[in-house]
Amino acid sequence: EAGVAQSPRYKIIEKRQSVAFWCNPISGHATLYWYQQILGQGPKLLIQFQNNGVVDDSQLPKDRFSAERLKGVDSTLKIQPAKLEDSAVYLCASSPNRAPNGELFFGEGSRLTVL
Amino acid sequence: AQSVSQHNHHVILSEAASLELGCNYSYGGTVNLFWYVQYPGQHLQLLLKYFSGDPLVKGIKGFEAEFIKSKFSFNLRKPSVQWSDTAEYFCAVKENSGYSTLTFGKGTMLLVSP
């Protein structure tokens, strides 16, 4: 079974530029998550999708971050414009359950460096 | 909202030493509890989980964790660590109610010296 795919693995941009990350979850997984992991901290949930609907985006900085999952499969996370403090690893995860129990399958992450 | 506290940021052990990593959470209701592990260069993966029943749960690679409800704790243990256990360990908690989110602790970096 293929795992969660993410791209790009690494991205370096200057502040005020934009960046987009892509995620393809495990086939058949209804729930998709984007987490932000800043160095030295645990992953923090940015947004959670159930199929193509948003379940929780309370911690997404909506003035600069956006995410979509148009067909209920793959997803894109965008940052525009980026700030220095956005430097982090962006983790995508998925889970199969309709009412997720917390058991997540993670991708390898996309490491963003903002200069 | 719940919070998760991991007691140590860095732990250094020699091979064959025993391991205990502390984890406490703040939510007073029913929870699902997890330990995730991230080996160097790899993605986060589930080590073990507790939903209900026997509070002592066993995971992969000889790890176990004990849920003590009265102490809001879910400590991770292994009797004898190996060099290959070098990794970052994250405790995570989810309220057992619908679409509540999974909250992670800050992680503990374990370094096992051969």
Side-chain angles (χ1 to χ4, degrees):
Chain A
E1 179 182 72
V4 176
Q6 290 189 244
S7 67
R9 289 292 311 280
Y10 305 92
K11 189 74 176 179
I12 301 174
I13 61 173
E14 295 187 347
K15 58 183 179 183
R16 292 188 289 274
Q17 287 187 323
S18 62
V19 63
F21 301 112
W22 173 82
C23 171
N24 192 26
I26 293 173
S27 178
H29 281 196
T31 310
L32 185 148
Y33 312 77
W34 283 102
Y35 280 84
Q36 180 192 57
Q37 186 176 13
I38 293 173
L39 187 64
Q41 299 183 21
K44 183 186 84 171
L45 181 70
L46 292 176
I47 189 167
Q48 177 179 336
F49 292 94
Q50 180 74 21
N51 296 308
N52 60 350
V54 175
V55 173
D56 186 340
D57 63 356
S58 57
Q59 298 191 83
L60 186 73
K62 297 180 185 64
D63 57 335
R64 298 183 300 105
F65 286 65
S66 65
E68 59 183 15
R69 192 186 185 197
L70 293 176
K71 297 183 179 179
V73 180
D74 57 348
S75 175
T76 303
L77 175 71
K78 296 180 181 178
I79 308 174
Q80 181 179 12
K83 292 186 175 181
L84 296 177
E85 59 261 36
D86 298 332
S87 294
V89 177
Y90 291 86
L91 299 168
C92 181
S94 67
S95 66
N97 302 322
R98 182 162 179 79
N101 59 21
E103 185 174 352
L104 274 54
F105 296 80
F106 284 87
E108 292 185 328
S110 294
R111 182 178 297 275
L112 173 66
T113 302
V114 182
L115 303 176
Chain B
Q2 70 267 29
S3 64
V4 181
S5 175
Q6 292 186 237
H7 304 164
N8 307 96
H9 283 273
H10 295 90
V11 173
I12 301 174
L13 295 173
S14 299
E15 273 194 317
S18 64
L19 170 71
E20 181 161 3
L21 302 182
C23 173
N24 288 90
Y25 63 95
S26 64
Y27 184 65
T30 305
V31 292
N32 295 340
L33 299 159
F34 306 84
W35 278 95
Y36 280 83
V37 61
Q38 188 166 24
Y39 298 103
Q42 296 187 27
H43 60 277
L44 264 172
Q45 57 188 285
L46 184 68
L47 189 60
L48 50 75
K49 60 189 177 186
Y50 171 81
F51 293 161
S52 63
D54 188 345
L56 184 63
V57 293
K58 296 189 183 299
I60 59 173
K61 302 185 180 183
F63 285 90
E64 64 180 30
E66 184 176 13
F67 170 49
I68 302 179
K69 188 174 181 179
S70 60
K71 295 184 178 181
F72 301 92
S73 70
F74 190 56
N75 292 353
L76 180 70
R77 299 194 294 248
K78 185 171 184 179
S80 176
V81 294
Q82 300 173 317
W83 174 78
S84 58
D85 294 325
T86 293
E88 192 158 19
Y89 294 81
F90 294 91
C91 182
V93 176
K94 180 187 178 300
E95 297 173 30
N96 190 11
S97 60
Y99 292 110
S100 60
T101 60
L102 185 64
T103 301
F104 285 85
K106 289 188 175 183
T108 298
M109 183 67 218
L110 171 66
L111 176 62
V112 180
S113 58

